[in-house]
Amino acid sequence: GELIEFESGVLGMILNLTETSVGVALFGDQTKIVQGMSVKRTGKVMQVPVGDELIGRVVSATGMPIDGKGDFTCNTMSAIEKLAPGVMDRKSVDRPLETGIKVIDSVIPIGRGQRELIIGDRKTGKTQIAIDTIINQKGKDVKCVYVAIGQKQSTIANLINHLTEEGAMEYTTVVMAGASDLAPLQYIAPYTGIAIAEQWMNAGEDVLIVYDDLSKHASAYRTLSLLLRRPPGREAYPGDVFYLHSRLLERAAQLSDKLGGGSITALPIIETQAGDISAYIPTNVISITDGQLFLMADMFNSGQRPAVDPGLSVSRVGGAAQHNIVKKLSGSIKLELAQYRELEAFSKFGSDLDEDTMKTIQRGRRWMEALKQGVASPVSLEDEVIILFAVKNGYLDDIDVEKIKSFEMELRKYLHTNYDNVVKMINKDKKLTPEISDKLKEVVTNFKKEF
């Protein structure tokens, strides 16, 4: 783990030590290294600059600025490898991290300090969920770190432009190790990201970190290991590939009040091949995290976006980190959707279904439609509450499924225009009191007459 320096100025990190040789991962141009050069130890482990100077910046895996905005002066350096906080240094996760995505906040909620895996095939909207979550942290006192591993430069550039347009770069740092970067840089990038995030967590702040994606990270580590002649294991990954991700993800935590109560919420992304979540790396990361958002290719292709499968997705923190009002309104969704998915498969075979079955199918279709959401359009708490209330209490049962989108849009406008006091009540206590319930009923009933 120690840094060494070659005569030509190239840095490397020691990964293998044998009696006769040393295996080094290079962080620079290997053409500058020739036989007979002297190499000296630095006595330091790999460190990166951390602190508020990095907000709004794009940095390399070694923590150097690469966005063309000049250097920054960071007085604080932090080692990229650290021990995770112990059990006594943590407390349970009990505050929601609002993603602004209806299906996640209502069915698979994420708490501050949780590790929630985003998993699915390529092109199913995994990165989009993470980016929308970052955009939704505006004004919520959450700093964000986005780590891009092994992606095309053009993809990352578009993503940074998107974040800048939405005003999200004001509280976000991007750590970038692109597809053209060396494997050692792709290997250390996530550790650099978490070192930056830890600085803020230790200062009592809340941080969100996205690793996009850890499949490429494991792949870069496999490349390194095989080149260092370490023995290959299952699927040619090295034996310690589980430890590679566990020591990274364990560093996300909700710290105890004694340590300032800061938190890091981690959203690792894993790409599956043909929906196979039982492959090696997916099962590894599933067992490390506190739940997963499973994105289905066929849902995505059929227009159900975000394509989160409410059946296979879980949150092992769940309701503990959910606002009371959302928890009360969304309690039955998972069950209703499960019944709908089951019955819908049957309904394809026969048309003469009994009334109860038809009712379940119709309600399920309305839930699915109401949970759809466009890109970069996070939903506020009151907007989420009003649509959940309307579907749950059957106000949409007599409205055509095609019209539900416009119904929702108009309903939100109507709420904000005519019932500002209700919006304030919802945001004040975030509890479903009989008074708020009556008010919501009034809003939806009055609006429906007009609609």
Side-chain angles (χ1 to χ4, degrees):
E2 186 178 341
L3 276 185
I4 56 169
E5 192 177 350
F6 291 83
E7 216 175 294
S8 54
V10 176
L11 289 175
M13 182 165 83
I14 297 178
L15 287 179
N16 270 15
L17 281 175
T18 68
E19 284 182 13
T20 54
S21 66
V22 177
V24 176
L26 296 178
F27 296 142
D29 184 1
Q30 73 271 17
T31 56
K32 291 183 179 164
I33 293 170
V34 291
Q35 193 174 1
M37 251 185 191
S38 65
V39 186
K40 61 174 191 280
R41 291 177 52 185
T42 59
K44 293 188 194 122
V45 290
M46 180 67 197
Q47 294 177 318
V48 290
V50 294
D52 288 351
E53 295 82 3
L54 280 84
I55 295 173
R57 302 298 300 263
V58 183
V59 298
S60 69
T62 53
M64 294 297 114
I66 47 172
D67 50 10
K69 293 182 185 171
D71 286 346
F72 43 66
T73 47
C74 263
N75 303 325
T76 324
M77 298 291 282
S78 174
I80 62 168
E81 294 275 10
K82 278 200 193 117
L83 277 180
V87 176
M88 300 310 287
D89 297 333
R90 301 173 182 239
K91 64 173 190 182
S92 59
V93 175
D94 58 1
R95 296 173 302 142
L97 180 103
E98 293 169 23
T99 63
I101 299 168
K102 290 176 288 191
V103 64
I104 297 176
D105 288 344
S106 57
V107 190
I108 316 122
I110 299 172
R112 295 189 182 192
Q114 188 174 346
R115 299 150 304 177
E116 183 80 7
L117 170 64
I118 303 173
I119 185 168
D121 286 6
R122 60 185 301 268
K123 297 278 175 229
T124 47
K126 300 187 296 298
T127 300
Q128 198 55 56
I129 283 187
I131 295 303
D132 287 357
T133 304
I134 290 176
I135 291 168
N136 194 51
Q137 301 316 308
K138 201 174 191 170
K140 292 193 169 71
D141 279 340
V142 177
K143 293 197 165 85
C144 301
V145 180
Y146 177 83
V147 184
I149 309 158
Q151 298 180 45
K152 288 193 308 216
Q153 306 278 14
S154 57
T155 311
I156 306 172
N158 289 338
L159 196 140
I160 293 166
N161 288 339
H162 180 44
L163 286 174
T164 310
E165 280 163 22
E166 297 287 343
M169 280 308 279
E170 292 162 21
Y171 49 85
T172 304
T173 302
V174 176
V175 178
M176 177 171 141
S180 56
D181 283 329
L182 299 167
L185 292 172
Q186 293 184 36
Y187 159 60
I188 63 165
Y191 300 102
T192 301
I194 191 84
I196 294 168
E198 267 174 343
Q199 177 71 9
W200 292 321
M201 172 176 77
N202 293 331
E205 300 188 58
D206 293 314
V207 192
L208 167 70
I209 185 163
V210 176
Y211 304 110
D212 192 4
D213 65 60
L214 291 186
S215 311
K216 295 193 180 76
H217 181 231
S219 185
Y221 186 59
R222 173 168 62 183
T223 306
L224 275 182
S225 291
L226 293 173
L227 288 171
L228 286 164
R229 307 270 175 95
R230 292 184 179 176
R234 177 174 160 191
E235 291 174 34
Y237 286 103
D240 61 342
V241 75
F242 181 90
Y243 180 57
L244 173 79
H245 289 152
S246 65
R247 71 177 191 262
L248 173 71
L249 292 166
E250 286 298 332
R251 285 163 72 178
Q254 165 67 62
L255 291 182
S256 64
D257 295 334
K258 199 171 76 191
L259 292 176
S263 75
I264 293 178
T265 311
L267 297 179
I269 295 176
I270 287 281
E271 186 182 295
T272 53
Q273 310 291 328
D276 181 16
I277 49 172
S278 62
Y280 188 27
I281 301 298
T283 45
N284 270 355
V285 185
I286 285 173
S287 62
I288 298 165
T289 48
D290 313 306
Q292 70 271 353
L293 300 169
F294 189 47
L295 280 81
M296 298 283 276
D298 52 356
M299 279 175 78
F300 186 84
N301 297 334
S302 68
Q304 182 68 38
R305 298 175 193 181
V308 176
D309 182 329
L312 288 170
S313 303
V314 286
S315 166
R316 298 193 189 108
V317 174
Q322 211 170 6
H323 291 309
N324 170 281
I325 189 163
V326 180
K327 193 174 176 178
K328 287 267 173 66
L329 290 173
S330 62
S332 61
I333 299 184
K334 218 164 179 171
L335 184 64
E336 286 187 27
L337 286 176
Q339 290 171 333
Y340 158 69
R341 298 286 291 271
E342 201 172 309
L343 292 171
E344 208 197 16
F346 278 114
S347 70
K348 291 191 177 111
F349 301 117
S351 52
D352 48 342
L353 298 168
D354 63 274
E355 203 181 325
D356 279 356
T357 308
M358 277 313 290
K359 220 173 178 177
T360 309
I361 290 175
Q362 292 301 342
R363 173 64 65 89
R365 279 186 190 147
R366 278 156 180 76
W367 270 127
M368 292 301 272
E369 192 62 32
L371 292 174
K372 281 186 187 173
Q373 201 167 332
V375 166
S377 51
V379 177
S380 63
L381 179 65
E382 64 273 11
D383 290 346
E384 201 171 298
V385 164
I386 193 84
I387 190 69
L388 289 176
F389 182 84
V391 185
K392 185 180 166 71
N393 293 300
Y395 289 106
L396 299 185
D397 289 358
D398 54 352
I399 286 174
D400 291 346
V401 175
E402 296 77 53
K403 290 186 179 163
I404 285 177
K405 265 278 141 293
S406 59
F407 180 92
E408 183 188 352
M409 290 304 175
E410 297 293 323
L411 176 60
R412 285 195 215 165
K413 269 187 214 152
Y414 183 80
L415 173 71
H416 287 278
T417 318
N418 305 322
Y419 288 93
D420 205 31
N421 58 328
V422 179
V423 173
K424 283 183 184 137
M425 280 163 69
I426 293 171
N427 282 308
K428 185 171 170 247
D429 289 338
K430 301 181 172 66
K431 286 194 169 72
L432 188 63
T433 58
E435 187 190 357
I436 286 182
S437 206
D438 293 341
K439 284 282 186 196
L440 290 172
K441 204 175 286 179
E442 185 188 318
V443 175
V444 183
T445 316
N446 290 345
F447 169 72
K448 220 172 147 183
K449 287 175 192 159
E450 291 185 20
F451 186 76

